[in-house]
Amino acid sequence: MRLQRFAFCLAFLLALSARAEAHPHVWVTMKSELVFAPDGKLSAIKQAWTFDDAFSAFALQGMEKQKDGSYGDDVLKPLAEVNVTSLKEYDYFVRGKTATGKIAFKDPVDYYLTYENETLTLHFTLPLTTPIAAKGALSFEIYDPTIFVSFAFAEKDAVSAAGAPRGCSAEAVSPTPGSGPSMTLSESFFTNLTASSDYGAQFADRIKVSCR
């Protein structure tokens, strides 16, 4: 029964065509860390997504708290597992590219959930299939192609780089204020969007990496 609830919570997040309300439904505040290997190549990107308090409360509804008000591993570990498994269809909402092509990722590692200030935060690491030399321009886009989930960078320390070679910098680039899904669009438009749609790309938050 507990696993069924976890699956249901993620279905609420990811069954994008099942609802008929204004988009988005879930809000995520995120931080990203680029991980560079000792040889200077970019090897992974770490994500920390804090869900809005309403969704966090929904996901944890009926789950038993510990005496200190937190949730134990028996609650958070299975929920984290369902999250990353369900997100695979959407490429974990992360797209990367170089000047010559797309960046491919392996499945997430080191994933877990934390609970603080009445919100859930999903942490996971996406290793690159092949580490990339730190030269030229690299970029990452983080967005939901169906606009069901709204992503926004944290106000402080949104992007960091661990072990970056000298001459490399990373910055968070948010959409132009006022951009977002047009509320004149019908709900049938949104419910017909899929994981392969590119509509959400125009509202994507981006990480720009420059190395010289």
Side-chain angles (χ1 to χ4, degrees):
M1 180 64 69
R2 177 167 291 177
L3 185 57
Q4 289 176 344
R5 171 169 287 279
F6 292 146
F8 176 73
C9 290
L10 262 294
F12 177 83
L13 174 62
L14 297 171
L16 305 176
S17 63
R19 300 296 298 273
E21 302 172 5
H23 284 60
H25 301 282
V26 180
W27 285 262
V28 170
T29 301
M30 60 182 174
K31 292 186 177 182
S32 300
E33 179 182 355
L34 303 173
V35 181
F36 290 83
D39 62 2
K41 291 184 178 180
L42 179 63
S43 61
I45 178 170
K46 290 184 177 181
Q47 294 286 72
W49 295 351
T50 299
F51 296 99
D52 64 87
D53 53 0
F55 177 76
S56 297
F58 176 85
L60 293 166
Q61 186 177 8
M63 298 294 100
E64 185 176 352
K65 286 186 176 182
Q66 301 184 119
K67 292 182 179 180
D68 63 359
S70 64
Y71 290 91
D73 287 345
D74 61 324
V75 171
L76 298 180
K77 280 188 175 181
L79 182 54
E81 176 74 28
V82 175
N83 268 266
V84 296
T85 300
S86 300
L87 287 168
K88 184 173 184 177
E89 179 184 355
Y90 296 87
D91 296 322
Y92 310 101
F93 295 147
V94 179
R95 278 85 171 165
K97 60 183 178 181
T98 67
T100 58
K102 295 181 179 180
I103 296 174
F105 297 97
K106 299 179 182 178
D107 289 337
V109 296
D110 301 330
Y111 51 84
Y112 60 97
L113 276 165
T114 56
Y115 179 76
E116 187 176 1
N117 297 325
E118 299 186 353
T119 57
L120 286 168
T121 299
L122 175 65
H123 307 260
F124 64 96
T125 299
L126 276 179
L128 274 64
T129 301
T130 303
I132 298 173
K135 61 180 180 180
L138 309 173
S139 65
F140 298 90
E141 295 181 338
I142 304 166
Y143 67 94
D144 175 5
T146 68
I147 314 296
F148 190 87
V149 182
S150 174
F151 288 93
F153 283 117
E155 293 183 1
K156 295 183 179 180
D157 303 321
V159 176
S160 59
R166 180 177 298 179
C168 284
S169 62
E171 63 174 327
V173 181
S174 296
T176 303
S179 64
S182 172
M183 301 316 293
T184 61
L185 295 174
S186 67
E187 278 301 321
S188 62
F189 172 83
F190 290 108
T191 56
N192 286 326
L193 295 176
T194 68
S196 61
S197 300
D198 61 2
Y199 178 73
Q202 61 188 304
F203 312 115
D205 286 88
R206 294 178 172 84
I207 301 171
K208 292 179 62 177
V209 185
S210 299
C211 297
R212 60 179 188 275

